[in-house]
Structure formats: structure tokens, C-alpha cells
Amino acid sequence: MQLSPVLAASDAIPPLFALLALMLAGVVLVSLLLLRLRQSMLAGYFICGILIANSGVLGLLGGGESHEQVSQMAEFGVVLLMFTLGLEFSLGELRFLRRLAFVGGGWQMGLCMLLAGVASTLMHLPWQAAVILSVALAMSSTAVSLKSFQDLGLEASPGARMALAVAIFQDLFIIVFFLFMPLLLPQPGEDTALLPRLGSLALRGGAFVVLSGVAARWGIPWVLNAVTRTRSRELFTLSVIGSCVGLAFVGGLLGLGLALGAFVAGLAVSESIFKHRILADVMPLKDLFLTLFFVSVGLMIDLKAAMQLWLPICGLTAVLMLLKAGVITLIARRLGLVHRQSLMAGIGLCSAGEFSLVLLQQAGAAQLWSVETQQTLLVASAFSMGLLPALLKLGQPLGDWLVKRGWGRGKPVKFDGGSLRQRVAGMSGHAIICGHGPVGEKLNKALLDAGVQTLVVELNAETVHSLQRQGQPVLFADASHEETWELTRLKHARLVALTFPDATVNAQALAVVREQRPDVPVLARARFSSDVDRLKRLGATQVVNDETEAANSIVEQARTLQGE
């Protein structure tokens, strides 16, 4: 009798909300367990989805309807992923890595697609399915690869730079491929003749280029400049998400796909001063919705079918990772990397990627191959991504063994970046100055005169423009955001100076700094004496108080005048 109100209340809970609660709680618990075992959280996302899908819970929570709603939310994660790809894309970086990107990336995609295409032909798949499958298996996980290099402290190594260059080419390739995807997946009732569909695609693509060009040149920069002057953090975030979703909607409306529109939206602000602040605002949202995307992939995996197909799944995973690692290692060697760095680049890109899963989902929905083939491809792709961090750790001792055997010799590739972005990415032993008002400006000049490299974090757009023209490394970002400090390379900094007069902002920034770097010296500023103890309790090494300094100065001036 006492359970009846609870059961009645549970019936009133929307199935989607119940499923989301179960998914997020499951992700946290499974990921905590994997982190204790020093494994990637990515595997936890897939495992959580598989457990929910095969436990019978979906049937109690609305079945396919709630799953479909989660898939739609997960698609928003892909949109945000494409937006951040466009945002992080840099023509300067592409020029700097052009040889590795176009030669290395072109050979990697070409050879991997050729091998996958031959395998697809032997499987007697239709040509549309063969094209999609060859692209899906040739793609790598940029996010997992670069994050794994960062975790190992190798993000600036030649192997990681080679992986980044190939990843840039893959991103460019997948954007173009998304443009032509409608030709491979005709909709019911659509003209199947290739020439009319190609003409229609060209018209729609041209219209989108004009609209997005106008938005990128005038619309989005004007809106962001106006919003920045309001100093409203909430309005800035809403404007960024609105721009992303708006252009994605236009791309979808023209039949070009949401992903292409989102990429163009990111590209529109990729070279602006707002870039780093946008990244700090969008990254948490992207991580949340991408988590839902990976869990939704797990929801599509039938554990019973996967157990019956364990042999082809394991075989495909092994062949995929070995062949891709071998191909990329050979290409890296031909481009001048030594054996050890070539091997690390090969391992870093040997898995399937996020866009592999997106392409496989779309092809499966279009029924381009059997259900058994879909299960095999999905599980093998997810499995390869989950294995990547552990394999990259094993690559280091294997590389050391190669060096001892005398196979590490070769002409190493030099990476001497010249752009501000490259200089920030390679900073070490630098001082981070938050705020470039009169106090921050004077401190910055003194440190530079002493030979200390500095990085400024500032929220005034005009100041950022001015510093950029002077060649000063600067981020337009909010110091109270955790993501901002990841961009500053805090782990490699020698000093942090919080020069803002607002103690609340300094306290928020200080809390993040102490969480990530308990040992770094932090110099903070407090306008009032009452804020000094608060900042010291939060971990400030030294606190300069405006009232105390002003009082000392006045006393000194008064003594001077008395002496006269």
C-alpha cells in the first residue's frame, strides 16, 4: 500500500527524463571504475549504453520512442563537435603543417580507403555502401588521439604533430564528404538520376556558401562585438550557441546536413579574438552531448548478437588497427620522422573515429547492409576507440626498444611555429597574467624586460586586438572558466598573476588554478583589506592590497612634503 504513491509518481515521470537520469548516473559510476583501473572514460560511455540496451530497461522507459529522443539529442553533440572543429581550424596551422597534412593525410586517406574499398567489394556491398564504409574506416578519432598524447605529456612531440596534421586533413575531407552524402543516401521519392541531383546539390551548396559568407563576414562578428560590450556572460554564450544552431539549421534546411552548417559557423569565428572564450563556453556543452552520442551508440549494440559475432568483431578490430597503424607509420617514415615518432603517430591514429560512428549510423538507417554487418562494424569501431589510450601507452616502451636496437635514427622533422597560436601551444616556463589594465600592463612589461615569457588573459576586445598587433601572446577568455586554464598551459607555467581589482573574480580563478596546479606561485590583487584573508585562504601565495599600498604611498608622500 505504501508503494502505490511511489509507483504513481514514477508513471508521471517522462520516459526521456528517466532514461537520461539512468544514462548519466550509469556513465558516472562506470567511468569512476574505469578511471580507478586507469582506462579511458570513452569505453565507459559505450559500456553504459550496452548495459542499458541489453538489460530490458528501455522497454520500461518508453522503448524506441525514448531511444529516438536520446539519438536526436546525441545529434546535437555531433553538431557541437563540428562547430568546435571549425572553431579550432586554423589556416595558419594548415600552412605550417601543409606538407604533413596534405601529403601525409592524403596518402593515409587514399590508402586506407583503397584497402577498405577492396574489402567492401569482396563483401559484395553496393557501391554507395562501399564508399561510405571506406571513408568510415579510414577516419580516426582526433579527440581521443590528441587527448591521449596530452595525458602522456607528448602533445608537442613530432609524433603528435604528425597525428594533428593528418587529423586536420581528415577534418577537411569529412566536411567535403558530408556535402556529397545526400547523393549516396537518396530519400524516398527523390529523383535517382545522378545529374539532376548533382545540379540541385550545386545550387543549394552555392546558396549556402553565399549565406554563410555574409554571416561570417558581417553578421556573426557584428553580433559578438555588440554582445561583448554588454559584459554579459550569459548573453555571449547564447549568441555563440545561437550562431552555431542557426547556420546548422540553414544547412539542414537546404538538405546539406546540420554538420556542414555547424562547421561553417565555427569557421566564421575561427580567426577572431573571440575564439578562446567561445571554446571555454562551448566545450562543457559539447562534452555532455557527445557523451550522450557515445552512449546512444552503445544503445544500438545488441549484446547477444555481438557475442555470436565475436570472431568477426575481434578480427575486424585487429585488422583495422594493425593496417592503419602500419600505413600511417610508413607514411610518417617517408616524410622524415624517426621510427619511434612514426610509430607513435601510427598508433595514435589507428582507431576508428567519432565520424566513423556517425557514418555507420546513417548507413545502417538507410539499410545499406545487413543488421549483422552493422553490429560488427559498430562494435569493432567502438572497441578500437576504447583500446587506443592503452595502446598509445604501450607505444612508448616499444619505441624505446626500437631506439635501443638502432632503429631510432633518421632526419627528424622540425616544428618551429611562428603564429601566435603555435607559440601559445608550445609555451613552457611562462607567466600567466590575468588582466591587462594599468597593473597588468606594468607587470607584463617588467617580466618581459626580465626575459620571462608571458601569456595575457583578457576580456577587453580592444586590448586583445592591440596586444595581438604587438605580437604579445594573448587569449580572449574568462579566467573564471576551468577550460580557459587548459588553454593557458597552466601545467607548464612558472607564475600566475591575478591583476583584476574584483576579488570575486580572482577568487573564482584562484580556485581553478589551485585545483589544477597546487604548487604554482600565485600573485593576487585585492582592492579592499577585507578580501586579503579570503584570497590567502584560497591559496594565494602573495596578495597585494590596493588600500594598503595607497595608504603607504600617501604616508610616504606626506613625510616627503613634511621634510620639505
Side-chain angles (χ1 to χ4, degrees):
M1 292 291 294
Q2 294 179 349
L3 291 177
S4 57
V6 178
L7 295 175
S10 65
D11 291 337
I13 298 176
L16 175 62
F17 185 85
L19 180 57
L20 281 176
L22 183 62
M23 288 169 60
L24 294 176
V27 163
V28 171
L29 294 176
V30 175
S31 298
L32 281 174
L33 177 61
L34 289 175
L35 285 176
R36 286 186 67 87
L37 298 174
R38 302 187 178 221
Q39 300 299 317
S40 170
M41 287 197 302
L42 181 65
Y45 305 153
F46 293 125
I47 291 172
C48 182
I50 293 171
L51 292 176
I52 294 174
N54 293 273
S55 63
V57 176
L58 278 178
L60 301 174
L61 299 177
E65 182 181 351
S66 57
H67 184 192
E68 179 64 27
Q69 290 173 322
V70 169
S71 297
Q72 291 174 357
M73 293 180 66
E75 189 172 357
F76 188 56
V78 177
V79 167
L80 289 177
L81 173 65
M82 295 299 294
F83 177 69
T84 55
L85 282 179
L87 189 63
E88 293 176 329
F89 186 80
S90 169
L91 290 176
E93 186 116 346
L94 182 61
R95 285 193 296 268
F96 174 60
L97 296 172
R98 61 185 179 276
R99 179 169 174 265
L100 295 179
F102 288 107
V103 179
W107 275 104
Q108 181 268 325
M109 288 296 295
L111 291 175
C112 290
M113 286 177 61
L114 178 62
L115 294 173
V118 171
S120 303
T121 303
L122 296 176
M123 293 168 60
H124 304 291
L125 293 176
W127 71 270
Q128 297 97 328
V131 171
I132 292 176
L133 182 59
S134 62
V135 174
L137 295 183
M139 294 297 294
S140 304
S141 177
T142 306
V144 177
S145 172
L146 298 183
K147 179 66 167 59
S148 299
F149 276 116
Q150 290 173 357
D151 291 342
L152 295 173
L154 300 173
E155 65 270 22
S157 67
R161 301 296 283 172
M162 174 70 188
L164 173 64
V166 174
I168 289 175
F169 183 86
Q170 289 185 357
D171 293 341
L172 288 173
F173 184 92
I174 198 65
I175 295 306
V176 177
F177 187 74
F178 272 133
L179 181 63
F180 290 95
M181 273 287 285
L183 297 178
L184 302 174
L185 300 173
Q187 300 298 319
E190 188 180 26
D191 188 357
T192 56
L194 183 61
L195 195 57
R197 291 171 60 205
L198 193 59
S200 172
L201 180 64
L203 288 175
R204 288 181 277 120
F208 181 71
V209 167
V210 172
L211 289 173
S212 58
V214 171
R217 181 66 179 86
W218 293 287
I220 295 177
W222 181 84
V223 170
L224 291 182
N225 271 305
V227 169
T228 301
R229 284 192 285 270
T230 68
R231 297 277 181 167
S232 171
R233 173 179 171 180
E234 295 83 359
L235 187 57
F236 186 86
T237 304
L238 286 174
S239 302
V240 170
I241 299 297
S243 301
C244 168
V245 173
L247 273 179
F249 176 75
V250 172
L253 206 61
L254 292 173
L256 303 175
L258 300 176
L260 184 63
F263 178 84
V264 171
L267 202 61
V269 290
S270 64
E271 297 296 331
S272 73
I273 64 168
F274 307 110
K275 173 178 190 168
H276 296 98
R277 185 179 175 188
I278 293 172
L279 275 174
D281 281 353
V282 171
M283 289 301 254
L285 281 175
K286 187 199 81 169
D287 292 341
L288 171 63
F289 283 100
L290 267 185
T291 298
L292 294 181
F293 168 70
F294 289 125
V295 176
S296 71
V297 172
L299 291 175
M300 298 175 62
I301 295 174
D302 185 344
L303 195 56
K304 291 182 179 178
M307 293 296 290
Q308 294 174 352
L309 297 167
W310 70 270
L311 189 58
I313 288 172
C314 292
L316 177 58
T317 304
V319 170
L320 172 68
M321 301 188 82
L322 286 173
L323 282 179
K324 287 182 73 173
V327 166
I328 297 168
T329 300
L330 290 175
I331 292 172
R333 282 292 299 136
R334 295 291 298 173
L335 289 174
L337 272 71
V338 296
H339 282 288
R340 178 178 181 177
Q341 297 299 339
S342 299
L343 178 65
M344 294 299 286
I347 295 176
L349 294 172
C350 70
S351 73
E354 295 84 0
F355 292 118
S356 304
L357 299 174
V358 174
L359 294 175
L360 293 177
Q361 280 185 320
Q362 294 183 0
Q367 299 180 345
L368 292 183
W369 44 61
S370 66
V371 175
E372 291 77 12
T373 302
Q374 177 74 350
Q375 288 291 313
T376 302
L377 292 171
L378 278 177
V379 177
S381 299
F383 197 24
S384 69
M385 293 174 69
L387 287 174
L388 181 60
L391 288 178
L392 204 55
K393 288 180 183 178
L394 293 176
Q396 284 188 294
L398 182 56
D400 293 335
W401 180 81
L402 287 174
V403 171
K404 290 179 181 177
R405 294 292 300 267
W407 293 355
R409 291 187 295 270
K411 185 180 179 181
V413 177
K414 294 182 179 180
F415 296 93
D416 297 321
S419 71
L420 282 178
R421 174 175 178 169
Q422 293 151 14
R423 288 168 59 191
V424 172
M427 275 188 161
S428 182
H430 58 294
I432 302 170
I433 301 175
C434 298
H436 201 264
V439 176
E441 181 180 8
K442 194 166 185 178
L443 175 61
N444 186 37
K445 184 177 184 306
L447 289 173
L448 290 174
D449 290 343
V452 178
Q453 194 176 24
T454 61
L455 173 64
V456 175
V457 178
E458 176 58 63
L459 266 177
N460 185 301
E462 294 180 2
T463 302
V464 172
H465 278 304
S466 175
L467 290 173
Q468 283 185 336
R469 287 193 293 269
Q470 298 170 27
Q472 166 69 47
V474 57
L475 300 179
F476 181 82
D478 191 336
S480 63
H481 287 191
E482 183 176 351
E483 291 76 13
T484 296
W485 292 98
E486 294 178 5
L487 296 170
T488 62
R489 290 180 61 83
L490 177 61
K491 292 181 180 179
H492 304 276
R494 67 161 68 181
L495 172 71
V496 173
L498 305 173
T499 69
F500 303 118
D502 189 342
T504 301
V505 176
N506 287 341
Q508 292 172 345
L510 187 55
V512 179
V513 170
R514 280 297 172 235
E515 183 180 350
Q516 297 186 14
R517 275 288 304 276
D519 61 315
V520 69
V522 178
L523 179 63
R525 175 186 174 191
R527 176 179 294 173
F528 305 112
S529 301
S530 57
D531 294 321
V532 173
D533 290 338
R534 175 189 176 194
L535 292 175
K536 285 187 175 179
R537 283 196 305 271
L538 287 171
T541 310
Q542 290 290 338
V543 180
V544 177
N545 176 225
D546 289 3
E547 287 184 334
T548 301
E549 294 301 317
N552 291 337
S553 179
I554 287 177
V555 169
E556 185 64 30
Q557 292 297 327
R559 287 174 177 171
T560 302
L561 292 173
Q562 288 288 337
E564 294 176 355

